[in-house]
Amino acid sequence: MQSSTFSVPFVFDANTNQLSSCNQVPDYISCLNEEQRLAVETTEGPLLVLAGAGTGKTRVLVSRIAHIIATTKAKPHEILVTTFTNKAAREMKERVKDTTGPVANSLSWIGTFHALSARILRNHTSYVGLQPDFAILSAEEQVHLLKKLIESANLDEKRWPAKLLASIINEWKNKGLDEHSISNLEAQHYLFGGKAKQLYAAYQARLSEHNAVDYGDLLSLVVRIWKQDPNILAEYQSKFRYILVDEYQDTNIVQYLWLKLLAIKSKNIACVGDDDQSIYGWRGAEVTNILRFEQNFPGAKVILLKRNYRSTSNILNSASYLISHNKNRLPKDLFSDRVSSEDDEKVSVCCATSSKEEARSIGTLIELLRQKGQPYSQVAILVRTSSQMKEFEDRFISIGIPYRILGGPKFYDRAEIKDALAYFRCTVRPYDNLSFERILGTPKRGLGKATLQKMHALAKQEGYSTMEAAEAIAISSMVYPKTRASLLELINKLKKWHSLACNTPVAELSSIILDESGYIDMLKRESTPESEIRLDNLKELVRSAADYDSLSNFLESTALITGNESNPSNEDSVNIMTIHAAKGLEFDTVFLPGWEEGLFPHQRALNDKQSGLEEERRLAYVGLTRARKTAMIWFTSSRRVQGYWQASTPSRFLGELSQAHASFAAISPIQTEISHTNVYTQMHKNNLLKPGRVDSHIMSREGSPDTNNDLKVGTRVFSKTFGYGTTIKAAGHNNMKILFDTAGYKTIRNSYIEPV
DNA sequence: GAGGAATTGATTTTT
DNA sequence: TCAATTCCTC
């Protein structure tokens, strides 16, 4: 896309609330194409910008913010912008700064729905029976809490999994339903029976006891306040004169209600999104929001961005043809801005015999690309499931290709960070039971299950918090003196830190806590490379704590911000990530391995009716459109899934690529250098002309009952995948290690082989 | 309560 | 297969 660097020097004086030097015709307009300019200049009334992949969505939003500030009388703090992640919000703010100058600093309402809602909710806590310092429950804590409630309701955890209950509650909150509708949810009906409603009531009661909300509440409470009190709503309606929404296809129903209430007065709502890139349906995103925009916001203008600046026409056309197989979408006609030339390669489809070979071939290709001057960082491997990553890691380590995994374990997900935060939270809020239970046994101090059980019993009996119960036990004779002393020591430390909290700098306080708790010592004693990293992470945590003026403010920010900047190594390295994590990114070369039925589209999505398949197809579309110049799709003829070897059928999506823009058999110049990939033979062998044929008994693990349990060692057997072989030894209940005549040693399910 | 053995169960993931 | 969890023993 155009790379003009310019700056419109707006100055916003917060004292006088005046914006100066904004009467010049700003330059940001001139670098937009006609479609984009229309989207930027239509500042009044509801607007939907339907932007295909690579059409400059963010540029439109950024320019629009600049335009609104320049041409209307709106102040930056009267503009509300929602983004999908915190990271996107930061990046958007940076880009606005590049375009409008220092005025971006006054753009204070830009962030995720959750972050914005938390701010709004803090002003009206009494309205919904909360204290202003309410805590925000993380997903993990939510499951933990539900687990405990299920336990105390004497339900069998195996049959009533907390995770399932959590997903039901979340789904239902995302849909903006209230407690009366929980009984309508099909899933809870047969899984939880009448108990779900009780469990939910207990859950919500526990939340308010703890002065906490979960992520769903954050939004729905704001919606509830706005619905119930017209005065409060009116206040926000006039406060936010312009509303901009990024990634509109990923909003859920509550977020729609939220926007609708807020925008109903000014009608100045502009949403940017692409229905074809909606890949988060499984967590509540509602594509219908974008499909029905014109009905939901009467008088809406819809602008389609069709000019794609990213991909070559072969890639774009393949992707467009693929996505045209979806029924539930708004048709678009994207065209590539790139002048077709010799390096407009077709999308190539290649086959390997196993995931190992797949990784080996792709590794070789990457090395060749590198020799031809392509930096590693311009190469991405986009997988459907994270389990596919390991094969590539192994291979890359052995041949020395530097790589990085994006969207891997997040900083705040690391055990040591969570432990540290749990210590901090106990210090600040002594009634935080979850955190207290987390720190009890880390580092080891002779406190465990038995002691915890006693605390629980006492807490329940006396209505204490866990820490109060611990204190009572520490001065009673309910436990051994050794346990008592250890417990007392912990409690005294927590009390000491609590008293330090108000007049000690945050960074100092946090390092005192980590030190005195023995946590640092524990890691130092380990002295493994692993523990070195952990110590570094803790140092990093202490460093970032220094930016806050109180420990509780620091904790507040960590509840909403998950640092997903993955290891910012400056080394030129290949990017490995899931397709989900690749959303919004682009690379010169993209490898898409594992296009096989059952893996991509994923079996779980296939079981899940038509909408599941369509979302998988959108995912394929997103994957393909990440590529600028080269896209290479791979599939294998057999793959080890969950430890078992399975014959695989090429993905039905391969048959949905446009023949004119994808080459199934034609071999690109680089590929000819790989001798062991015989595309032709494999294509025939795998019956690629009829993609989508699934051998259901092979793909599904539960498909057929396990027979052949009486197989003896040394028996000759036959497998559809590997041919003839001899059993070597039993491996677990229903598996056998077999030496195949041609395929070598494999461990497979007994049901996949038959004696001959 | 700690540590080793056995069992289980495995998309995608942000706030 | 492989990691996480639970079970079992000392």
Side-chain angles (χ1 to χ4, degrees), chain A residues 102 162 178 269 315 423 450 458 493 528 574 606 634 665 696 700 705 717:
Chain A
D178 59 27
I269 177 169
I315 292 170
Y423 270 102
L458 189 66
K493 276 180 187 162
T528 55
V574 173
L606 290 175
W634 284 75
S696 55
S700 112
V717 293

Side-chain angles (χ1 to χ4, degrees), chain A residues 279-300:
Chain A
I279 53 175
Y280 285 100
W282 49 276
R283 89 184 184 209
E286 191 56 65
V287 211
T288 340
N289 281 350
I290 200 165
L291 298 178
R292 296 223 189 107
F293 188 82
E294 288 171 275
Q295 284 110 291
N296 292 338
F297 294 95

Side-chain angles (χ1 to χ4, degrees), chain A residues 235-424:
Chain A
E235 182 194 320
Y236 286 99
Q237 283 175 334
S238 42
K239 182 184 178 82
F240 300 121
R241 292 173 54 195
Y242 290 90
I243 297 161
L244 293 95
V245 183
D246 196 10
E247 308 282 16
Y248 188 60
Q249 78 280 358
D250 290 318
T251 53
N252 61 34
I253 295 178
V254 179
Q255 289 164 342
Y256 159 68
L257 294 172
W258 197 102
L259 290 170
K260 173 101 182 168
L261 283 170
L262 201 56
I264 211 160
K265 190 163 156 235
S266 73
K267 300 193 172 51
N268 292 331
I269 177 169
C271 301
V272 171
D274 180 1
D275 54 316
D276 289 334
Q277 291 187 64
S278 167
I279 53 175
Y280 285 100
W282 49 276
R283 89 184 184 209
E286 191 56 65
V287 211
T288 340
N289 281 350
I290 200 165
L291 298 178
R292 296 223 189 107
F293 188 82
E294 288 171 275
Q295 284 110 291
N296 292 338
F297 294 95
K301 191 165 184 176
V302 179
I303 293 173
L304 201 58
L305 300 188
K306 293 187 289 192
R307 183 186 293 263
N308 175 301
Y309 293 95
R310 181 186 296 153
S311 312
T312 61
S313 65
N314 273 329
I315 292 170
L316 190 63
N317 288 333
S318 298
S320 298
Y321 187 66
L322 173 79
I323 198 67
S324 72
H325 289 79
N326 270 4
K327 302 232 155 51
N328 201 15
R329 71 185 282 262
L330 303 165
K332 317 177 186 55
D333 247 325
L334 300 186
F335 60 92
S336 171
D337 187 58
R338 295 181 149 223
V339 202
S340 66
S341 64
E342 281 199 2
D343 54 61
D344 189 356
E345 287 170 46
K346 287 186 173 186
V347 171
S348 46
V349 179
C350 317
C351 178
T353 54
S354 69
S355 57
K356 231 182 200 81
E357 200 201 289
E358 187 181 56
R360 201 188 310 138
S361 307
I362 291 178
T364 312
L365 284 170
I366 291 174
E367 284 185 324
L368 288 167
L369 283 167
R370 167 76 185 217
Q371 281 163 26
K372 295 185 180 189
Q374 164 108 276
Y376 287 138
S377 60
Q378 273 313 317
V379 178
I381 296 170
L382 308 183
V383 294
R384 172 68 247 267
T385 71
S386 28
S387 58
Q388 288 171 261
M389 293 177 179
K390 199 180 168 295
E391 206 73 72
F392 290 98
E393 288 190 72
D394 290 351
R395 183 64 192 162
F396 289 179
I397 287 170
S398 77
I399 59 174
I401 294 181
Y403 68 90
R404 77 186 129 184
I405 303 241
L406 274 89
K410 310 277 184 295
F411 185 69
Y412 285 94
D413 279 348
R414 293 165 200 273
E416 67 275 17
I417 301 298
K418 286 201 283 199
D419 287 339
L421 289 176
Y423 270 102
F424 298 166

